[in-house]
Amino acid sequence: MVRFLLRRVLQGVVVLWLITMAVFALFYIAPNDVARTLAGRQASPETIALISHRLGLDQPIWKQYLDFVWRALHGDLGYDYYHQVPVTTIMGAALPVTASLVLGAAVIWVGLGVTNGVLSAVRPRSVTDRSLTVFSLFFYSMPSFLLGLVLLYFLYYQLTLHGLAVLPAGGYSPLAGGLGTWLQHLLLPWFTLALVQAATYTRLTRGSMLDVLGEDYVRTARSKGISERRVVVRHALRSALTPVVTQFGIDVAGLLGGAIVTEQVFSLPGLGKTAVDAINQQDLPVIIGIVLFASTAVVVANIAVDAVYAVLDPRVRLH
Amino acid sequence: MALLEVRDLHVEFDTPDGVVHAVRGLSFDVERGSTLAVVGESGSGKSVATQTITGLTRGARVTGSAVFDGTELLGASEETLRAVRGARIGMIFQDPLSSLHPYYTVGWQVAEMIRAHDRTVTRAMARERAAELLSLVGIPRARRRVDDYPHQFSGGMRQRVMIAMAVALDPALLIADEPTTALDVTVQAQVLEVMQQLQDRFGTAIVLITHDLGVVAEMADEVVVMYAGRAMEVAPRRELFYHPHHPYSEGLLRSLPSRGEPGSRLVPVPGAPPSLLDPPQGCPFRPRCPHAFADCHDQPPLRPVGGSPDHLSACWLPPSRGTTTGEVPAPAARELQEAP
Ligand SMILES: Nc1ncnc2c1ncn2[C@@H]1O[C@H](COP(=O)(O)OP(=O)(O)OP(=O)(O)O)[C@@H](O)[C@H]1O
Ligand code: SF4
Ligand SMILES: [Mg+2]
């Protein structure tokens, strides 16, 4: 098992290395003036000269690349000339917002998706199954910006209009500023993100459960005279969760790089919104930082998923 | 009264192609402490029939009666069935690898059976008992192996684990659905021996589903020959081997492989079994029967034939046929002589 995970980690390192090369090539070996690009549109010639020197643009390419990687490894993702702060400062402010949004929503969508999937699979083609399918497809086919706006219209606008100003129109309030206001600001974004995601998890869990419920070992479990609930949860769901874990890893990692639409709709200053703003402002160092962070998140999530497999499945663990 | 009395069992499935009538009027008895072998071609309804009795067939229409130790099981509450399953009727299946949960240790799986029916047993006690059971069915170093996972065992050892689990609560009946089909020839005999020993020791009755007449010769007291969801012939083992009455049984016996190649599947008589969606009128074996005659357009009932009163056959041929011909297919005779 250790060897299996080690191999995965090595693969991850290689992938990250390729990504740094690609990012470096894209942004640094560009045909235009790198220093000017990095500095942003309104930079003065002095700033550009300073950046040229700081980045060692007079050095050979390989030296520049090594410096770039070396700095990134030490948590130095460069300097945001547009806002006059290090890129890590910008990202450090945005990450807790995105993390709060994504992890909170993840709890909801996994809970909802897996529960609904199991309920559907236990009685396939029943009224419950069909209603849950319709419910899922409804949210699945709904764009999240629309869902966000609908939620805002009813639960913010209409409630406020009727004197029930419980939920804010948007924005973020850090957890340190109080649990209540943190929840208030995140409730609608969570459900916007989670309802759309939950649909996928319902379908995934349902399919996977239907497969597993036909397995011989589920029949064995029933032949032992244990309760149907235990058969479904301990025997069937335990195995059926494997594809769910994979999907979960991919989704969380992908969203950690920025839940762009949801963050935009609710004006949450997370990584997604920061990235969009940076692109609009041609604020390259921030874009590079977020790209590197997002790819690292995906690579790490993949390794984590494999580790979870090993925990779940003794055939992987003891191999 | 017999331990299990099945009467006129019918099982139907609704499928997109129509109603599959998998079991159509099956009756048989299992006596306490004895072995009933159920033989028949693939699709004849052996598994469906036995699994229906313990309520494991899902989404089927079931009629008839199955009285186990004085309790009617068909239509019984889930609670009643759960109390019987595992505790009073143990089951083992064809493929021991897929029948054991890959994510749990064998000890856990055996212990779960014990604790499912007696919550006063502690985890530690159940685990201890599991180790004893594994050792009882002949798993070497059982105490060390309770914490191993199914994939760490060989096929034969896995089936021993299944047996240990099935007999954990000393059930009155063990239903073994082709327990050796997925195993190597040499291992098959060992697994059968384990079952035989448990029966001798605890007086467990066994319903043994098999394709292998060699296994029947070795294990069975009584035999039910199934065809298209019905019993074609019910007879004591010797009676069936020496005086088969039904042409289908005859075909099976004639196809018995010689001693050198046991375990081969039954392909007894030319032709294929009838469709369960739209079965022919009259005797279901008629399209393949070399002796078919005019009467066979009516369905023959299961009736006593031959010398022994518990020898029944569903065939219109004269009852004396089995006894008078006295003709024993050579391979069958050999099997019987070598059987214990
Ligand atoms: N859930 C189900 N839905 C529809 N048809 C079914 C179902 N289960 C079994 N059948 C059908 O019932 C018939 C009898 O199946 P069964 O498994 O009892 O045969 P079998 O005698 O055990 O055969 P084998 O020797 O291959 O195990 C088959 O034709 C099968 O296709
Ligand atoms: S009833 Fe007729 S067709 Fe059926 S087995 Fe007997 S002889 Fe053959
Ligand atoms: Mg079968």
Side-chain angles (χ1 to χ4, degrees), chain B residues 232 245-248 282-293 295-300 313-317:
Chain B
M232 292 293 105
H245 179 269
H246 201 284
Y248 178 61
C283 174
F285 191 55
R286 186 166 48 95
R288 297 164 76 185
C289 181
H291 305 288
F293 61 114
D295 289 4
C296 307
H297 287 274
D298 293 327
Q299 187 186 306
S313 170
C315 172
W316 289 121
L317 290 173

Side-chain angles (χ1 to χ4, degrees), chain B residues 69-334:
Chain B
D69 210 7
T71 311
E72 173 62 58
L73 295 183
L74 298 188
S77 69
E78 187 57 27
E79 206 180 333
T80 310
L81 284 173
R82 271 180 46 203
V84 169
R85 282 205 288 262
R88 309 279 294 124
I89 303 182
M91 301 189 86
I92 55 183
F93 304 100
Q94 176 169 340
D95 183 350
L97 180 58
S98 62
S99 296
L100 288 164
H101 201 300
Y103 289 2
Y104 296 105
T105 65
V106 296
W108 186 92
Q109 297 187 53
V110 176
E112 183 188 39
M113 172 74 116
I114 298 167
R115 300 214 331 132
H117 294 275
D118 186 356
R119 297 304 300 178
T120 62
V121 180
T122 64
R123 250 172 248 281
M125 278 156 66
R127 186 174 175 282
E128 182 63 24
R129 179 87 186 105
E132 279 168 27
L133 284 159
L134 292 178
S135 141
L136 180 74
V137 295
I139 290 176
R141 296 177 292 117
R143 206 154 295 281
R144 294 234 313 269
R145 303 220 64 188
V146 279
D147 295 326
D148 283 350
Y149 291 89
H151 75 273
Q152 295 169 299
F153 291 81
S154 67
M157 288 296 151
R158 281 177 206 139
Q159 197 59 295
R160 287 173 197 251
V161 171
M162 280 298 289
I163 295 174
M165 190 159 81
V167 302
L169 298 167
D170 192 12
L173 177 64
L174 179 65
I175 298 177
D177 192 343
E178 304 194 37
T180 57
T181 309
L183 304 178
D184 289 346
V185 177
T186 45
V187 180
Q188 289 184 1
Q190 296 166 6
V191 167
L192 290 175
E193 200 182 305
V194 170
M195 288 172 54
Q196 189 73 66
Q197 284 167 357
L198 290 171
Q199 179 172 56
D200 294 345
R201 196 158 152 191
F202 302 107
T204 321
I206 299 176
V207 171
L208 179 65
I209 299 173
T210 179
H211 279 94
D212 189 339
L213 282 173
V215 171
V216 176
E218 226 163 284
M219 300 279 294
D221 299 306
E222 296 268 332
V223 186
V224 178
V225 179
M226 275 187 80
Y227 185 77
R230 282 207 182 86
M232 292 293 105
E233 187 157 9
V234 181
R237 177 193 56 175
R238 276 177 174 271
E239 192 70 15
L240 184 83
F241 276 77
Y242 282 104
H243 310 297
H245 179 269
H246 201 284
Y248 178 61
S249 313
E250 236 173 33
L252 290 182
L253 288 164
R254 211 174 294 117
S255 71
L256 195 65
S258 55
R259 250 306 195 199
E261 36 170 335
S264 65
R265 297 227 135 198
L266 297 178
V267 205
V269 191
S275 155
L276 297 172
L277 285 166
D278 184 23
Q281 293 295 305
C283 174
F285 191 55
R286 186 166 48 95
R288 297 164 76 185
C289 181
H291 305 288
F293 61 114
D295 289 4
C296 307
H297 287 274
D298 293 327
Q299 187 186 306
L302 205 58
R303 56 184 180 139
V305 291
S308 155
D310 43 9
H311 185 171
L312 310 174
S313 170
C315 172
W316 289 121
L317 290 173
S320 53
R321 167 184 150 77
T323 44
T324 49
T325 57
E327 154 205 341
V328 184
R334 218 170 30 245

Side-chain angles (χ1 to χ4, degrees), chain B residues 13 15 20 22 41-48 178 211 265 276:
Chain B
F13 296 98
T15 70
V20 172
E41 283 167 299
S42 197
S44 54
K46 306 182 295 293
S47 301
V48 168
E178 304 194 37
H211 279 94
R265 297 227 135 198
L276 297 172

